[in-house]
């Protein structure tokens, strides 16, 4: 063998070098490679807190995560973890996370005394009972409650003859928040406004009370409201067949049905369904209904923007005479044979035995030619309310069969809107400058915001219920209840 | 065996052994991710899609039929100091010729974007990898007073709307539509009819040309396009009285933010391209992957209205608006 190697020495070396060259060069390839992507970091920080629900901030940035949660797949390093929650002080921890470490942070917020806060509860007048988060405390105002966990707490103050007040008291860490509330006296006046009750609007027009002591309230643009002293139920165009949301007048017939006069006809509501009367299905010429009255023969007398109409249940009788004096604002039925008409700009008229007559302002000297409302007292005096017009000013008068006695209420511009005469011969007169009471002797008292708790001076109508309370509709101040002294 | 034969065998053996290797056209496979999200100003339903790359067995990518969408990712958008987390969902896929599974997407229905606000994105993939991006929502558009107010315009055969913005390089997409009502079997149905900027003749047919996203701050509609659109409302219906056209037209202009505008610029303005594929490298602003994170805002121009006589000349009713 050795001889053979020696004999072919050149061949051995030749073969060796060929192998070497081929190995070094023969398989050399140009290979394109994508950069090697590093594996994502595997560090985790699990953050837990008592109570939970704190927002986790990582190095000052909101992670959008709430405890308990984890910040996952993060690099090794120092992290500032802050826990934030509304009304709580921030809690910040600095942690050093090693590579691929899974770190758990348990933060006991409750163990930090500075996290707690308190509230100071006070009422005017003092002595109100306190209900705190639906728990009766058997304590009265003023009261300081401390060591509360931050958050929102429902608080109710109740005091006899005062309106309950419900508030949300906010407790913040290391703070005593002051909640002082004035309780409205309801011993004499009670208001029902959108802000203080479930009533649907503060813009009210007419009001009447049915045989069941239920109040029926007209609104300027929200239809009819039924109030049984518990709930306000609204009947409007979207949930009923009422012809319009603009209610002008309300009357109750002897079947306890509600006749609602609107700007688009009459709706008669029996508690479940509606009968609608308008120019297209009845004798009404105008759908603008100002007043509805009933006589002892069950005739319905309707004052509209166009004329006087009588409806006997079957037939419609339209009174067109005299032309041009036909806007009827109110009707008073003195007897079957004689009714009084209050017109717009044409003074006081009568219809007696189917014949019209006028009581001219020049002859009787009453305040103006526009009558808004008519009533009669127990002495059979007929009372008229007047609105200011070109002929004169607003006011109220009564007619004793021969002469008018005028009461010029408030300013020249005062609109005297309505009169209601109760069983004690008190006259409740609604004006834009307050509610005026004329007692049996016609001594007057004016209730305004400046001297009473009535919500506004702009009074539209008033009625007295079976319990002696006076219910007052206002334009802007909702419904008011007045409890006269007994 | 002669020496020469021995040498020959050695060479052949060396060649056969040393360089015998299959040729492979692929490089090393590295999974990549494509994310798309265009936040909107005119609705609060924001959507995003997330896909991964794939390698088919052969050379035809359509042989790969496994849905490449990624579910279970954690997608967060920072906007106005608030973090909005996207949830994953899916809808039935209309075209199931390739992928059989439902189409997966992410959504958040609690926010819409305003003008010139910073938006930030972070996507944490189920494997721990992160995609990041940020942008600035587009600025406010204001319409120029020289824009048209009435149709038909007086003494012109075009309807032009001009707008302004303080942003540079913004792409816009205008849209003009007729609002009308049609009585169908006694019921009134509200409809809208888009108006093209012009019609072009292709063969024997007129083809409408609608605006595409571009950087122009004005759009011009030929009146004959408006006329033809009005005629097409009723088409061959002889009873024109069944149609009522609203006085006010609907003109809106979408302004895209910088990343979206750049993307649209790179794709020639085709708005349908907003679904970015992993193999499309036209433009990307996604750190750690491919795709697009951007936003657009929409502004309406409400002064453009029809004249009553003009609408009635088509036999339509006219609906007056305040």
């Amino acid at each position: 063998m050795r001889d053979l190697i020696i004999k072919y020495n050149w061949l051995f070396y030749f073969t060796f070098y060929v192998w070497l060259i081929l190995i070094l060069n023969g398989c050399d390839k140009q290979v394109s490679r994508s950069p090697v992507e590093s594996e994502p970091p595997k560090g985790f920080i699990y953050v837990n807190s008592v109570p939970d629900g704190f927002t986790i901030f990582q190095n000052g940035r909101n992670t959008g995560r709430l405890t308990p949660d984890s910040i996952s797949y993060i690099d090794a390093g120092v992290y500032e973890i802050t826990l934030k929650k509304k009304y709580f002080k921030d809690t910040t921890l600095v942690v050093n996370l090693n590579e691929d470490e899974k770190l758990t942070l348990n933060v006991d917020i409750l163990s930090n005394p500075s996290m707690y806060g308190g509230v100071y509860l006070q009422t005017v007048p003092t002595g109100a009972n306190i209900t705190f988060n639906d728990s009766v405390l058997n304590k009265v105002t003023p009261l300081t409650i401390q060591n509360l966990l931050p958050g929102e707490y429902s608080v109710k103050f109740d005091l006899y003859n005062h309106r309950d007040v419900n508030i949300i008291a906010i407790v913040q860490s290391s703070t005593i928040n002051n909640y002082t509330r004035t309780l409205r006296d309801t011993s004499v006046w009670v208001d029902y406004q959108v802000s203080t009750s479930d009533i649907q609007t503060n813009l009210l027009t007419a009001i009447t009370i049915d045989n069941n002591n239920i109040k029926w309230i007209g609104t300027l643009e929200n239809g009819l409201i039924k109030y049984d002293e518990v709930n306000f139920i609204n009947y409007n165009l979207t949930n009923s067949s009422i012809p319009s949301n603009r209610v002008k007048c309300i009357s109750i017939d002897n079947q306890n049905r509600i006749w609602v006069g609107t700007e688009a006809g009459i709706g008669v509501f029996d508690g479940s369904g509606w009968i609608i009367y308008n120019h297209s299905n009845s004798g009404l010429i105008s759908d603008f209904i100002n007043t509805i009255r009933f006589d002892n023969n069950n005739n319905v007398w309707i004052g509209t923007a166009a004329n006087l109409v009588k409806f006997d249940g079957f037939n419609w009788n339209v009174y067109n005479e005299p032309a041009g004096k036909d806007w009827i604002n109110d009707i008073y039925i003195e007897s079957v044979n004689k009714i009084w008409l209050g017109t717009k700009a044409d003074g006081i008229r009568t219809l007696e035995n189917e014949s019209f007559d006028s009581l001219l302002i020049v002859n009787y000297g009453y305040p103006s030619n526009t009558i808004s409302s008519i009533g009669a007292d127990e002495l059979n005096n007929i009372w008229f309310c007047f609105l200011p017009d070109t002929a004169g000013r607003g006011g109220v008068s009564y007619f004793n069969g021969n002469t008018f006695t005028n009461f010029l209420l408030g300013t020249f511009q005062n609109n005297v809107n309505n009169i209601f005469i109760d069983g004690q011969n008190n006259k409740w007169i609604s004006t834009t400058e307050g509610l005026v009471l004329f007692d049996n002797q016609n001594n007057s008292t004016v209730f305004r915001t400046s001297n009473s708790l009535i919500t506004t001076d702009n009074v539209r109508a008033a009625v007295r219920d079976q319990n002696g309370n006076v219910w007052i509709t206002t334009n802007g101040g909702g419904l008011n209840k007045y409890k006269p002294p007994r | 065996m002669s020496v020469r034969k021995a040498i020959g065998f050695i060479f052949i053996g060396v060649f056969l052994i040393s360089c015998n290797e299959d040729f492979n056209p692929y490089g090393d496979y590295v999974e990549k991710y494509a994310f798309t999200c265009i936040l909107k100003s005119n609705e609060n339903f924001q959507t995003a899609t997330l896909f991964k790359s794939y390698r088919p067995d052969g050379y035809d990518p359509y042989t790969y039929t496994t849905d490449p969408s990624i579910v279970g990712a954690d997608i967060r958008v920072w906007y106005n100091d608030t973090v909005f987390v996207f949830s994953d969902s899916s809808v039935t896929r209309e075209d199931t010729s390739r992928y059989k599974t439902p189409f997966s997407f992410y959504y958040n229905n609690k926010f819409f974007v305003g003008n010139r606000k910073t938006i930030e994105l972070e996507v944490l993939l189920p494997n721990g990898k992160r995609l990041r991006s940020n942008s600035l929502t587009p600025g406010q558009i204001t319409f120029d007073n020289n824009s048209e107010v009435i149709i038909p315009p007086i003494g012109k055969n075009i309807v032009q709307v001009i707008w302004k913005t303080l942003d540079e390089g913004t792409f816009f997409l205008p849209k003009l539509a007729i609002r009308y009502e049609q009585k169908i079997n006694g019921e009134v149905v509200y409809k809208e009819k888009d108006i093209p900027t012009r019609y072009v003749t292709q063969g024997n047919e007129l083809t409408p040309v609608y605006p595409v996203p571009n950087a122009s701050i004005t759009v011009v509609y030929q009146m004959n396009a408006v006329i033809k659109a009005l005629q097409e409302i009723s088409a061959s219906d002889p009873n024109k009285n069944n149609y009522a056209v609203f006085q006010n037209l609907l003109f809106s202009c979408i302004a895209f933010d910088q990343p979206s505008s750049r993307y649209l610029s790179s794709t020639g303005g085709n708005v349908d391209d907003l679904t970015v594929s992993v193999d499309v490298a036209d433009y990307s602003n996604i750190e750690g992957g491919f795709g697009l994170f951007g936003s657009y805002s929409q502004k309406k121009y409400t002064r453009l209205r029809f004249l009553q006589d003009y609408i009635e000349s088509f036999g339509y009713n006219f609906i007056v608006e305040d």
Side-chain angles (χ1 to χ4, degrees):
Chain A
M1 184 64 181
R2 192 165 176 269
D3 292 341
L4 197 64
I5 292 172
I6 292 169
K7 182 179 179 183
Y8 295 106
N9 189 33
W10 63 272
L11 182 58
F12 175 81
Y13 285 107
F14 176 77
T15 306
F16 174 77
Y17 285 122
V18 168
W19 272 89
L20 190 62
I21 291 166
L22 284 173
I23 288 170
L24 290 177
N25 298 323
C27 296
D28 185 20
K29 294 186 295 184
Q30 295 292 322
V31 178
S32 172
R33 284 181 172 274
S34 301
V36 176
E37 291 200 6
S38 57
E39 284 293 307
K42 292 189 169 51
F44 280 77
I45 302 176
Y46 176 74
V47 187
N48 187 26
S49 70
V50 179
D52 59 15
F54 281 72
T55 305
I56 304 168
F57 281 67
Q58 174 190 345
N59 295 336
R61 191 189 198 209
N62 185 357
T63 64
R65 301 175 191 280
L66 302 178
T67 59
D69 204 342
S70 58
I71 306 168
S72 51
Y73 296 108
I74 54 175
D75 289 311
V78 177
Y79 291 94
E80 184 186 85
I81 304 297
T82 302
L83 303 185
K84 291 175 182 271
K85 193 172 187 179
K86 199 174 182 182
Y87 309 132
F88 283 80
K89 285 172 65 175
D90 294 353
T91 301
T92 300
L93 301 92
V94 177
V95 296
N96 191 357
L97 183 72
N98 297 317
E99 190 171 348
D100 296 346
E101 183 183 5
K102 291 180 172 49
L103 191 66
T104 296
L105 293 180
N106 285 309
V107 184
D108 186 1
I109 303 287
L110 301 179
S111 65
N112 182 354
S114 70
M115 282 293 169
Y116 293 87
V119 286
Y120 173 73
L121 305 173
Q122 172 65 300
T123 58
V124 178
T126 59
N129 297 308
I130 300 169
T131 304
F132 198 80
N133 262 7
D134 298 327
S135 297
V136 179
L137 296 186
N138 292 321
K139 292 184 177 176
V140 297
T141 56
L143 178 69
T144 300
I145 309 174
Q146 292 180 298
N147 293 322
L148 294 169
L149 206 58
E152 296 179 357
Y153 294 83
S154 64
V155 179
K156 177 184 172 185
F157 302 112
D158 69 274
L159 182 65
Y160 178 70
N161 263 340
H162 290 77
R163 184 187 295 282
D164 294 352
V165 170
N166 293 285
I167 63 168
I168 298 296
I170 293 170
V171 175
Q172 296 168 285
S173 293
S174 304
T175 306
I176 302 290
N177 285 334
N178 183 341
Y179 291 94
T180 300
R181 294 293 183 269
T182 300
L183 307 184
R184 186 180 173 90
D185 186 343
T186 58
S187 59
V188 178
W189 291 89
V190 184
D191 67 296
Y192 304 87
Q193 301 185 73
V194 171
S195 60
T196 59
S197 73
D198 294 329
I199 197 166
Q200 288 79 12
T201 175
N202 288 337
L203 300 172
L204 308 180
T205 54
I207 183 168
T208 193
I209 298 173
D210 71 12
N211 299 340
N212 300 320
N213 208 28
I214 289 173
K215 288 80 192 168
W216 296 89
I217 301 159
T219 74
L220 193 63
E221 49 197 23
N222 286 75
L224 179 71
I225 295 173
K226 173 187 177 184
Y227 182 52
D228 59 3
E229 301 199 38
V230 178
N231 298 308
F232 288 95
I233 300 172
N234 186 209
Y235 302 92
N236 55 50
L237 284 174
T238 58
N239 67 3
S240 75
S241 299
I242 192 170
S244 165
N245 279 342
R246 299 176 71 86
V247 174
K248 302 287 293 179
C249 61
I250 308 169
S251 293
I252 312 289
D253 68 13
N254 58 8
Q255 299 173 54
N256 206 31
R257 295 187 303 173
I258 319 303
W259 290 65
V260 184
T262 76
E263 293 185 2
I266 298 170
V268 184
F269 183 54
D270 64 3
S272 58
W274 291 81
I275 300 170
I276 308 301
Y277 298 114
N278 55 41
H279 71 278
S280 64
N281 70 352
S282 73
L284 290 171
I285 305 299
S286 168
D287 290 337
F288 198 100
I289 310 299
N290 289 320
T291 185
I292 301 170
R293 302 291 181 190
F294 307 97
D295 67 19
N296 290 335
N297 290 339
N298 294 327
N299 294 313
V300 186
W301 292 87
I302 303 157
T304 77
N307 36 40
L308 174 68
V309 179
K310 186 173 79 171
F311 177 49
D312 64 7
F314 300 99
N315 302 307
W316 298 80
N317 189 7
V318 179
Y319 296 85
N320 284 319
E321 195 272 339
K325 298 185 176 182
D326 40 17
W327 182 298
I328 311 298
N329 274 339
D330 201 9
I331 300 166
Y332 171 68
I333 299 168
E334 183 179 337
S335 66
V336 172
N337 296 323
K338 185 174 183 180
I339 66 171
W340 293 77
L341 307 173
T343 73
K344 177 184 177 184
D346 286 302
I348 300 167
R349 296 177 58 74
T350 58
L351 176 63
E352 188 167 11
N353 295 322
E354 299 294 310
S355 176
F356 283 102
D357 196 5
S358 290
L359 280 72
L360 299 177
I361 189 172
V362 292
N363 295 334
Y364 291 92
Y366 47 75
S368 82
N369 265 333
T370 298
I371 293 88
S372 57
S373 180
I374 312 173
D377 65 18
E378 63 182 21
L379 301 175
N380 294 323
N381 296 317
I382 301 175
W383 290 71
F384 300 89
C385 298
F386 297 90
L387 302 175
D389 61 12
T390 55
R393 55 164 293 164
V396 63
S397 300
Y398 71 84
F399 180 62
N400 62 6
N402 294 309
T403 59
F404 279 82
T405 302
N406 298 332
F407 301 92
L408 304 178
L409 308 174
T411 67
F412 195 90
Q413 290 79 24
N414 191 10
N415 286 348
V416 182
N417 293 316
N418 184 264
I419 184 168
F420 176 81
I421 301 173
D422 67 22
Q424 298 169 23
N425 208 29
N426 296 308
K427 297 91 192 172
W428 300 90
I429 300 163
S430 303
T431 82
T432 52
E433 296 177 5
L435 177 68
V436 182
L437 167 63
F438 281 71
D439 66 12
N440 193 32
Q441 303 302 316
N442 289 339
N443 300 310
S444 69
T445 306
V446 182
F447 300 100
R448 300 190 187 95
T449 54
S450 58
N451 66 1
S452 73
L453 287 178
I454 194 169
T455 53
T456 174
D457 291 345
N458 196 344
V459 180
R460 296 300 304 266
V463 289
R464 196 163 189 184
D465 69 12
Q466 298 164 3
N467 301 320
N469 296 320
V470 180
W471 296 83
I472 303 147
T473 54
T474 71
N475 186 8
L479 180 68
N480 285 247
K481 179 169 75 173
Y482 172 60
K483 306 176 200 174
R486 306 293 162 92
Chain B
M1 181 184 290
S2 70
V3 173
R4 285 183 184 173
K5 284 183 180 175
I7 292 172
F9 283 131
I10 291 169
F11 268 98
I12 291 168
V14 166
F15 275 113
L16 289 176
I17 295 167
S18 64
C19 293
N20 183 17
E21 188 176 339
D22 292 333
F23 173 71
N24 188 342
Y26 293 126
D28 292 337
Y29 174 67
V30 178
E31 193 170 75
K32 294 177 181 176
Y33 310 98
F35 177 85
T36 312
C37 177
I38 308 290
L39 301 176
K40 300 174 279 286
S41 72
N42 56 336
E43 60 175 286
N44 63 1
F45 191 78
Q46 312 292 354
T47 57
T49 56
L50 179 62
F51 298 102
K52 62 184 176 184
S53 61
Y54 54 87
R55 183 156 71 177
D57 291 336
Y59 302 128
D60 179 5
Y62 289 96
T63 59
Y64 189 86
T65 57
T66 304
D67 185 358
S69 59
I70 299 175
V71 297
D74 185 295
I75 299 175
R76 285 163 197 262
V77 169
W78 280 257
Y79 174 76
N80 259 359
D81 298 329
T82 305
V83 188
F84 296 97
V85 182
F86 282 58
S87 307
D88 50 10
S89 184
S90 63
V91 291
T92 305
R93 197 185 295 271
E94 289 182 6
D95 178 8
T96 55
S97 59
R98 185 175 181 191
Y99 303 123
K100 310 297 181 194
T101 53
F103 178 80
S104 299
F105 67 99
Y106 295 81
Y107 75 95
N108 182 293
N109 58 0
K110 292 186 171 59
F111 77 109
F112 50 85
V113 294
N115 296 110
R116 284 192 169 270
K117 300 281 186 183
T118 299
I119 48 176
E120 291 181 67
L121 166 78
E122 184 174 290
V123 180
L124 177 59
L125 301 174
N127 62 6
K129 293 191 175 177
R130 276 187 165 81
L131 312 180
R132 290 190 175 91
S133 187
N134 61 72
S135 180
L136 185 70
T137 61
Q140 178 93 4
I141 289 176
T142 53
F143 290 100
D144 192 288
N145 286 335
N146 291 318
S147 298
E148 216 59 69
V149 175
I150 56 170
I151 295 177
I154 298 168
K156 288 186 284 188
N157 280 324
I158 58 167
V159 176
Q160 184 175 25
V161 181
I162 308 163
W163 57 87
K164 291 181 283 193
T165 179
L166 296 176
D167 297 337
E168 291 184 359
T170 301
F171 267 48
F172 305 96
L173 178 60
K175 177 188 170 183
L176 178 62
I178 301 163
R179 302 158 53 237
Y180 67 100
E181 289 178 349
Q182 182 183 354
K183 272 187 200 164
I184 302 174
N185 298 327
E187 278 196 30
V188 176
V189 179
Y190 173 83
K191 290 184 175 181
E192 291 177 8
K193 166 78 175 172
D194 285 359
I195 302 177
T197 53
R198 64 186 192 282
Y199 284 84
V200 295
T201 306
Q202 288 189 340
N204 294 325
E205 289 189 355
L206 284 175
T207 303
V209 178
Y210 292 96
V212 294
N214 65 83
S216 174
I217 56 165
T218 182
V219 63
V220 173
Y221 293 87
Q222 300 292 332
M223 266 309 290
N224 60 12
V226 177
I227 293 168
K228 186 160 177 56
L230 277 166
Q231 291 168 340
E232 286 176 349
I233 284 176
S234 59
S236 58
D237 187 351
N239 194 352
K240 308 298 181 190
N241 199 40
N242 281 341
Y243 301 85
V245 175
F246 284 92
Q247 181 178 26
N248 294 324
L249 289 94
L250 188 68
F251 181 86
S252 64
C253 184
I254 285 175
F256 294 92
D257 68 351
Q258 293 289 328
S260 307
S261 295
R262 286 175 187 155
Y263 178 78
L264 290 165
S265 176
S266 70
T267 59
N270 189 346
V271 76
D272 292 334
D273 279 349
L274 287 174
T275 302
V276 179
S277 307
V278 277
D279 55 350
V280 173
D282 295 313
Y283 174 81
S284 172
N285 69 337
I286 303 295
E287 178 191 329
F290 293 101
L292 177 63
F293 175 63
S295 62
Y296 72 69
S297 69
Q298 186 187 54
K299 183 79 180 285
K300 291 181 178 173
Y301 176 64
T302 56
R303 296 181 63 199
L304 198 56
R305 50 184 57 191
F306 283 120
L307 292 180
Q308 183 166 357
D309 292 348
Y310 184 68
I311 292 303
E312 289 174 350
S313 71
F314 289 85
Y316 302 143
N317 296 309
F318 185 70
I319 301 175
V320 180
E321 297 176 292
D322 292 332

